[in-house]
Amino acid sequence: MRRRRDLFARPSQSIGRIDDDRQGRSAGGGNVVPLPPAPGGRPKPSRESQRGLDWFIFFLADVQTGFGPFIAVYLTTQKWTQVEIGFVLSIGGIIGLLGQMPGGAIVDYARSERLVAGLAVATIGCAALAYALWPIFPVVTAAAILHALASCVLGPAIAAISLGLVGPFAIGERLGRNARFASLGNGSAAALMGATGYLLSSQAVFLVTFMLAIPTLLALASIREQEIDVAQSHGAVVREVPDKEATSVFHLLRQRPLLIFAGGVLLFQLANAAMLPLMAGVVTMRSSQWAPVLIAACIIVPQAIVALASPSVGRKAQAWGRRPLLLLAFGALAIRGLLFAVVSDPYLLVAVQVFDGITAAVLSVMVPLIVADVAFGSGHFNLALGIVGTATGIGASLSTVLAGYISDTFGSSIAFTGLAGIAALGLTVIWLFMPETRRVE
């Protein structure tokens, strides 16, 4: 029977025990201060902080939704050309991709994740106001750049706050809860922004987005700073003797599970990102009258599944391990691609989107959870999250180009089959090479 060690960054609030999956060693070395467990174990975060994080994620999803397709609609009404709109959107996309790793590194070096998140939300709110009040090329371009830069730190900051609050053994369920509130926020925001644009104007969408930044910041302020373990939020442990090798960035970059997982996520996004846009084009050709309703349903169905299932995914990840759920997500994606290739009824395509809900519920929890496992003890959890985020962006960017070319050349059925094949390749990579990363108390 393997011996467990109690490892504490602080006597009362720290990373608790770790158990390497195969060797019974800590992830970063053997010189971590062993202390007897504090009475009652690590204090649980207060209900106020947990609820504050819930509502912060909910309102943040509302704020971010305001920048989606509404940008193109609004700028079109302001007499912008498609070239100008495309340039602004491309700048935001490129900066969002290049800023993933620097954004994670910034959060790792920050002493207050709440402060970083608050500044990012304020920046996004100001960007929305700039869109609404000064829709001229220099201002909109600057706002797009600021929005992209702020978004690069928000994802890692949320993951860091979550990890710092609940610790590595409760993070799975917390991430599931995060995904639920993000999904609810996305759904409610889409309805709110759509109604605002229809009843008022597309300009009003960005004014509403700016105003939603206020409750977002209030929710963030209700998370108690003293309950966020700074070392824990970075994936670090306090050692009796500093271990430069364990906390080196180069050591992290050599972690085989991290590289395999990043490659798997790249394949996942390469297969996944183009499926819904490609399917939307197919639906429009087959049923143009009902296309908007069907496409909206194809978006709502997965969001509903994510909201319902994500907390259960977090719990099962700790009970079953990470690999079974990862394999489930890749398998569901491959099945979805094959069904899109053979199903011709537009209404049945909506039912196929159930598989999208499964993959979204699993991946929204698994990405930060597995990264937290792999980066444990390194102090670079958020940088590792940025590495996987970069892989996500690369896969998503290539997916639409690849699928569009195949669809134009060989037809949509071949394109969907090809995307399913990429998902099957990702499934094979995870099955053969990805180790189990779960840690047990």
Side-chain angles (χ1 to χ4, degrees):
M1 182 176 181
R2 291 181 295 188
R3 186 180 179 184
R4 299 184 302 179
R5 305 175 187 176
D6 288 48
L7 308 175
F8 282 78
R10 301 178 188 175
S12 63
Q13 196 172 6
S14 63
I15 296 181
R17 297 177 291 273
I18 67 172
D19 180 19
D20 187 89
D21 294 305
R22 283 166 293 280
Q23 299 173 340
R25 293 182 285 113
S26 71
N31 51 1
V32 183
V33 181
L35 295 174
R42 183 186 183 277
K44 292 184 177 180
S46 65
R47 183 173 180 176
E48 180 183 7
S49 292
Q50 293 268 35
R51 287 294 185 188
L53 183 54
D54 291 340
W55 288 110
F56 173 65
I57 292 169
F58 176 87
F59 285 117
L60 181 60
D62 286 4
V63 171
Q64 293 284 53
T65 299
F67 285 89
F70 299 101
I71 291 178
V73 173
Y74 171 57
L75 295 180
T76 300
T77 64
Q78 299 298 313
K79 311 302 181 185
W80 280 49
T81 67
Q82 291 303 309
V83 172
E84 291 172 326
I85 295 172
F87 178 79
V88 168
L89 295 178
S90 296
I91 282 185
I94 292 170
I95 291 176
L97 177 60
L98 297 178
Q100 291 293 320
M101 286 189 280
I106 288 171
V107 176
D108 277 330
Y109 282 104
R111 304 311 298 168
S112 172
E113 287 72 21
R114 279 201 330 165
L115 177 61
V116 172
L119 290 174
V121 171
T123 299
I124 291 175
C126 291
L129 189 62
Y131 273 105
L133 300 182
W134 301 285
I136 58 177
F137 189 80
V139 173
V140 169
T141 302
I145 292 171
L146 290 174
H147 174 232
L149 291 173
S151 297
C152 288
V153 301
L154 270 174
I158 290 172
I161 292 171
S162 302
L163 184 58
L165 275 178
V166 304
F169 302 116
I171 188 62
E173 189 168 354
R174 178 65 250 183
L175 291 173
R177 191 163 158 176
N178 289 359
R180 165 176 283 180
F181 278 86
S183 180
L184 292 172
N186 285 328
S188 61
L192 174 63
M193 300 304 176
T196 300
Y198 178 76
L199 297 175
L200 300 176
S201 69
S202 54
Q203 180 189 40
V205 168
F206 294 96
L207 294 174
V208 171
T209 299
F210 169 74
M211 289 187 289
L212 283 171
I214 297 173
T216 307
L217 291 171
L218 292 175
L220 179 64
S222 69
I223 304 172
R224 296 175 181 174
E225 183 80 53
Q226 66 271 21
E227 294 183 8
I228 303 172
D229 189 314
V230 175
Q232 191 166 261
S233 65
H234 301 162
V237 291
V238 175
R239 293 175 168 84
E240 190 174 40
V241 178
D243 188 342
K244 292 183 179 180
E245 170 64 17
T247 57
S248 166
V249 171
F250 297 104
H251 177 74
L252 177 68
L253 296 176
R254 293 195 302 268
Q255 292 294 311
R256 184 170 169 267
L258 177 63
L259 299 178
I260 294 170
F261 184 58
V265 168
L266 191 153
L267 290 172
F268 181 91
Q269 292 298 335
L270 186 60
N272 178 70
M275 277 197 189
L276 185 58
L278 191 61
M279 188 273 290
V282 172
V283 168
T284 302
M285 288 188 293
R286 294 176 182 172
S287 180
S288 58
Q289 181 179 357
W290 289 97
V293 175
L294 293 173
I295 293 168
C298 287
I299 296 171
I300 292 170
V301 167
Q303 292 290 341
I305 294 174
V306 171
L308 291 171
S310 291
S312 297
V313 170
R315 290 190 292 268
K316 295 301 182 185
Q318 191 59 30
W320 296 351
R322 303 357 179 184
R323 287 184 77 249
L325 291 167
L326 267 185
L327 294 171
L328 174 65
F330 277 88
L333 180 60
I335 293 171
R336 177 178 168 225
L338 290 174
L339 289 175
F340 278 157
V342 299
V343 172
S344 58
D345 188 331
Y347 299 96
L348 288 179
L349 291 174
V350 176
V352 175
Q353 279 295 91
V354 169
F355 290 97
D356 188 28
I358 295 172
T359 59
V362 172
L363 262 293
S364 61
V365 176
M366 285 300 107
V367 169
L369 182 56
I370 291 175
V371 172
D373 293 340
V374 175
F376 180 81
S378 70
H380 299 294
F381 162 57
N382 300 289
L383 174 60
L385 204 57
I387 292 170
V388 176
T390 301
T392 298
I394 293 172
S397 299
L398 295 176
S399 179
T400 50
V401 176
L402 177 64
Y405 173 78
I406 296 175
S407 179
D408 288 342
T409 306
F410 303 104
S412 60
S413 293
I414 299 298
F416 283 126
T417 303
L419 295 176
I422 295 172
L425 176 60
L427 175 68
T428 304
V429 169
I430 298 299
W431 177 270
L432 295 178
F433 303 109
M434 184 69 192
E436 177 57 60
T437 62
R438 176 186 56 170
R439 296 183 182 278
V440 294
E441 292 187 80

